[in-house]
Amino acid sequence: MPLVTRTGYNIGTLCIIDTKPRSLSENQKFVLRTLAKQVITNFELRKKDKELHVLNENTQRLTKAKEEFFSNMSHELRTPLNAISGFSENLYKTKLDPEQKEQLGIIRSSVDILISLVNDILDYSKIDSGSLVIEKHTFNLRSMIKATFELLKIKAQEKNLSFILNVGTELPTYVKGDKIRLNQILINLIGNAIKFTKKGFVTLSIDSVADSAEKLDLRVSVKDTGIGIPADKLEEIFHRFQQVEGTTRVFGGSGFGLSISKSLVEMQNGKLDVTSEFGKGSEFSFSIKYQKSSKEEILLFEDGERASEPISKLNLKNIRVLLAEDNVINVKVIKKLFEGTGILLEAVEDGKVCIEKLKQKSFDVILMDLYMPEMDGYEATRYIRNTLNLKVPIIAFSANICETDRKKSLEVGMNEYITKPFKIEELLRTIYRFSHSINWKTLWEYTGNDGDFEKEMIEMFLIEMPKYLKDLEIVIEKEEFCAIKGAAHKIKSPLGIFGLEELKSNFVKIEELSAKLQIIPIVKIFADSQICLERILSDLEVVRKQMN
Ligand code: ADP
């Protein structure tokens, strides 16, 4: 029986071999014909399977190449944008005549538009490749809404529109979810409402409905009295690049916003809806489920909030920052931005030099570029964590925001991730947060979350620690090694209670060095630790005052 493919090619014959010649009955012929068909189907199936496999591999390779392309592209775009944004921010603080100020203002807002466009494109590519991750952190929902409202109110006022905020009484202050993404959706919807409304008002209404003991359903609506959307376009506007005809020319925009917002809402198990009457106005509404925050999560969050006081109030004095960055322009921008903050900045050009530097002296925070020649940020971090055994906070500092990079940087032991172009405030706050390395959780565990006991411990630390330091200083001056060991030992345990592990390890080192009678490194480590402790003491003093 010939084996014929579906396209008509004869690729072989199916034979029955026997010891004696025989002729086949009709039934047997039928079976043979069916068998031949089965064989050919199997062949074709196997071939298709192989083709599919290759196709699949190609698709995967393509997706990876695409993500790499976007991440490289973002790097290339963000580095110059970072320089323009940083320097113009800086220039704005200098003395300028009105014309220069106006032109610089245009540069700044143009850069902001460019940055948000690059962000949109990147978000889209991340949503497309499935690498966008929805974060889950406790945040202050009410204050976030208020801040967004105030920010967009300025835009509405510029167009003489009323902007009304309705916040439901049931809305909790704290929830657990992705604050940045919620903010992004709100800005997009309200931004559109303001953009497409010539007169009248825009209303933002937010309320929540209890969903279960642990969850709540946030309901948001953005309503406007703008140009409206024709009924036949209501579906389309959620598609990528889709704009109602003619809107770009009149109102500007890229057509990215709604499709990103829709995906973001859906990734948070919600739905984005629209109702609109052409010429009268539109209403966009969505709901997202959030987890309620526990008491401990709220306390931890509030603690972090202390670090978000107005930037001018943050005590950045004497924080020792090591910047590992090969791009000289970036180094220059950061040096300039740190001027007057009190931060002690040192810069090195790659991971290798960074490690050499850390062998000589300690730092409170390291800002680590991920891609550097010689040794990159990942390798350097691995070495710092595993070989030097240092716990110093490392903040990845890169123009690359692809999810794999973010994950990888945390995996190798970095503590946080900042993308360029950054806002100076964000950078300073992050540095402050990590340099201010008291781990309240350790203290809570120690005090059993007892507020009075906690206060007592802080007061004791504030009184005793300066004394202990003075004692150690005196014996170091006298080079009394035995006494140095004892004095250093005494300091260790209070540092442990306050979760100051990095500092504690300095005093362990001093103990070890005193056994080896090595005064020079002792003096150095002590001087470093003293600077750091003085800063912590002055911060703790502020906390103590707040507790009263
Ligand atoms: P962009 O605003 O950048 O054009 P979006 O994806 O945010 O992109 O919006 C897509 C299109 O949907 C807009 O171009 C506009 O035609 C329409 N649209 C969105 N929001 C409104 C609104 N509030 N009123 C009228 N039309 C809107």
Side-chain angles (χ1 to χ4, degrees):
M1 185 60 63
L3 293 169
V4 186
T5 65
R6 236 184 302 168
T7 41
Y9 288 103
N10 196 341
I11 58 161
T13 315
L14 184 66
C15 305
I16 294 185
I17 298 167
D18 206 342
T19 45
K20 285 182 224 143
R22 271 182 224 271
S23 55
L24 298 178
S25 71
E26 274 314 303
N27 247 354
Q28 285 170 323
K29 276 183 192 163
F30 175 74
V31 171
L32 195 60
R33 213 174 296 129
T34 314
L35 257 176
K37 264 189 200 151
Q38 253 181 23
V39 169
I40 207 81
T41 313
N42 265 328
F43 271 148
E44 285 191 335
L45 256 176
R46 222 190 293 168
K47 195 167 148 238
K48 281 268 175 301
D49 199 47
K50 239 189 219 157
E51 280 169 10
L52 215 70
H53 193 69
V54 173
L55 210 70
N56 212 353
E57 268 185 356
N58 282 346
T59 317
Q60 273 176 9
R61 222 175 307 141
L62 216 70
T63 313
K64 204 163 166 242
K66 198 171 115 192
E67 202 181 327
E68 262 169 29
F69 168 76
F70 273 110
S71 101
N72 288 343
M73 215 37 210
S74 82
H75 189 270
E76 298 300 323
L77 284 169
R78 278 160 181 271
T79 305
L81 280 177
N82 186 31
I84 302 173
S85 166
F87 276 124
S88 46
E89 210 172 313
N90 230 8
L91 213 57
Y92 212 75
K93 291 182 205 145
T94 62
K95 217 168 158 225
L96 299 168
D97 66 37
E99 202 183 335
Q100 287 171 323
K101 204 154 193 146
E102 192 193 333
Q103 288 176 2
L104 193 62
I106 297 170
I107 295 181
R108 287 180 73 193
S109 57
S110 305
V111 166
D112 282 348
I113 293 172
L114 262 179
I115 291 175
S116 88
L117 200 62
V118 170
N119 285 342
D120 275 356
I121 296 173
L122 282 166
D123 271 350
Y124 212 95
S125 106
K126 281 201 277 179
I127 290 171
D128 239 16
S129 67
S131 61
L132 191 137
V133 175
I134 297 294
E135 308 267 341
K136 232 185 215 172
H137 298 295
T138 289
F139 69 94
N140 190 324
L141 178 64
R142 280 179 174 263
S143 77
M144 186 226 102
I145 293 167
K146 188 96 184 58
T148 310
F149 175 73
E150 293 300 334
L151 183 82
L152 290 158
K153 203 163 129 188
I154 303 168
K155 271 197 168 174
Q157 278 166 348
E158 279 169 9
K159 289 186 75 178
N160 272 329
L161 300 174
S162 325
F163 186 20
I164 304 152
L165 173 66
N166 294 326
V167 176
T169 46
E170 291 299 302
L171 199 77
T173 307
Y174 297 100
V175 292
K176 217 170 144 189
D178 200 323
K179 174 183 170 185
I180 291 175
R181 297 304 176 184
L182 175 63
N183 198 27
Q184 192 177 350
I185 301 164
L186 287 178
I187 288 179
N188 176 243
L189 297 183
I190 303 167
N192 275 350
I194 296 173
K195 186 161 79 170
F196 295 111
T197 303
K198 286 189 192 127
K199 66 174 201 263
F201 45 85
V202 171
T203 314
L204 166 65
S205 310
I206 302 195
D207 206 351
S208 81
V209 181
D211 185 71
S212 64
E214 302 93 40
K215 280 191 181 154
L216 59 95
D217 208 6
L218 184 78
R219 307 255 165 102
V220 183
S221 132
V222 179
K223 212 169 167 179
D224 65 57
T225 56
I227 60 169
I229 303 158
D232 61 333
K233 296 281 190 272
L234 281 177
E235 271 287 312
E236 271 175 35
I237 54 165
F238 293 107
H239 298 162
R240 208 185 313 193
F241 315 128
Q242 285 297 335
Q243 299 172 316
V244 175
E245 216 167 290
T247 46
T248 359
R249 245 174 301 132
V250 187
F251 300 97
S254 63
F256 263 123
L258 276 182
S259 91
I260 292 177
S261 293
K262 183 170 185 273
S263 302
L264 290 177
V265 169
E266 284 168 4
M267 284 175 79
Q268 298 176 80
N269 302 319
K271 196 164 175 294
L272 177 58
D273 285 316
V274 60
T275 53
S276 183
E277 203 175 326
F278 191 50
K280 290 230 166 114
S282 317
E283 179 176 6
F284 285 83
S285 56
F286 67 90
S287 67
I288 292 179
K289 280 193 190 4
Y290 285 104
Q291 225 153 349
K292 295 176 184 166
S293 297
S294 69
K295 180 179 167 261
E296 203 199 12
E297 280 163 347
I298 293 172
L299 278 170
L300 256 172
F301 170 82
E302 282 175 343
D303 175 50
E305 281 290 275
R306 255 184 286 228
S308 43
E309 288 205 41
I311 213 86
S312 55
K313 276 199 190 165
L314 291 188
N315 178 10
L316 298 162
K317 205 162 165 254
N318 289 338
I319 297 180
R320 296 153 311 162
V321 176
L322 180 60
L323 169 69
E325 161 76 85
D326 62 312
N327 184 317
V328 282
I329 297 179
N330 280 339
V331 175
K332 220 172 172 169
V333 174
I334 290 169
K335 272 196 178 145
K336 192 80 199 155
L337 292 176
F338 282 5
E339 262 175 25
T341 59
I343 289 178
L344 307 171
L345 179 73
E346 286 190 47
V348 288
E349 65 275 18
D350 68 53
K352 250 196 182 135
V353 193
C354 172
I355 285 168
E356 285 316 308
K357 193 98 218 175
L358 285 171
K359 283 181 186 164
Q360 295 157 18
K361 64 187 282 190
S362 54
F363 288 86
D364 300 309
V365 174
I366 299 174
L367 291 179
M368 182 81 83
D369 188 17
L370 293 181
Y371 300 101
M372 292 178 287
E374 282 292 320
M375 186 189 268
D376 67 14
Y378 299 119
E379 211 182 317
T381 303
R382 262 190 227 111
Y383 194 92
I384 293 168
R385 294 285 183 253
N386 304 336
T387 310
L388 298 181
N389 277 323
L390 292 177
K391 290 199 185 94
V392 51
I394 301 177
I395 302 171
F397 187 60
S398 179
N400 217 325
I401 54 158
C402 114
E403 184 52 29
T404 25
D405 279 335
R406 210 181 74 91
K407 254 199 206 140
K408 196 170 156 195
S409 61
L410 298 179
E411 259 165 35
V412 296
M414 298 189 192
N415 304 69
E416 186 55 283
Y417 194 100
I418 284 197
T419 43
K420 293 183 249 174
F422 55 87
K423 286 269 176 235
I424 178 70
E425 272 222 33
E426 183 199 358
L427 181 62
L428 292 181
R429 279 188 204 294
T430 312
I431 290 176
Y432 178 79
R433 183 151 60 88
F434 280 98
S435 65
H436 181 95
S437 37
I438 293 178
N439 185 348
W440 294 103
K441 215 169 165 204
T442 345
L443 183 64
W444 289 347
E445 270 159 23
Y446 187 83
T447 58
N449 225 341
D450 174 341
D452 288 338
F453 189 17
E454 201 179 299
K455 197 170 146 219
E456 224 174 277
M457 290 304 298
I458 292 175
E459 273 165 1
M460 216 153 84
F461 191 90
L462 282 168
I463 296 168
E464 298 302 324
M465 191 46 77
K467 283 193 209 156
Y468 291 170
L469 284 173
K470 191 80 212 152
D471 288 348
L472 182 56
E473 192 179 359
I474 292 168
V475 287
I476 289 177
E477 256 168 36
K478 291 188 190 154
E479 296 188 28
E480 288 172 4
F481 289 101
C482 209
I484 291 174
K485 190 166 191 283
H489 187 82
K490 235 177 163 176
I491 295 177
K492 275 184 347 193
S493 94
L495 293 181
I497 295 170
F498 280 80
L500 296 158
E501 287 302 324
E502 180 73 22
L503 259 179
K504 187 176 158 186
S505 73
N506 278 0
F507 290 91
V508 174
K509 255 185 240 155
I510 292 181
E511 268 188 275
E512 287 164 9
L513 289 165
S514 64
K516 293 183 196 151
L517 313 180
Q518 290 180 345
I519 196 68
I520 295 167
I522 290 181
V523 171
K524 237 170 104 19
I525 295 174
F526 179 68
D528 268 356
S529 317
Q530 214 175 10
I531 296 176
C532 198
L533 263 168
E534 267 160 24
R535 194 166 41 73
I536 286 165
L537 283 167
S538 74
D539 285 340
L540 263 184
E541 185 60 51
V542 177
V543 175
R544 190 186 63 87
K545 278 190 195 136
Q546 281 173 352
M547 286 179 113
N548 282 333

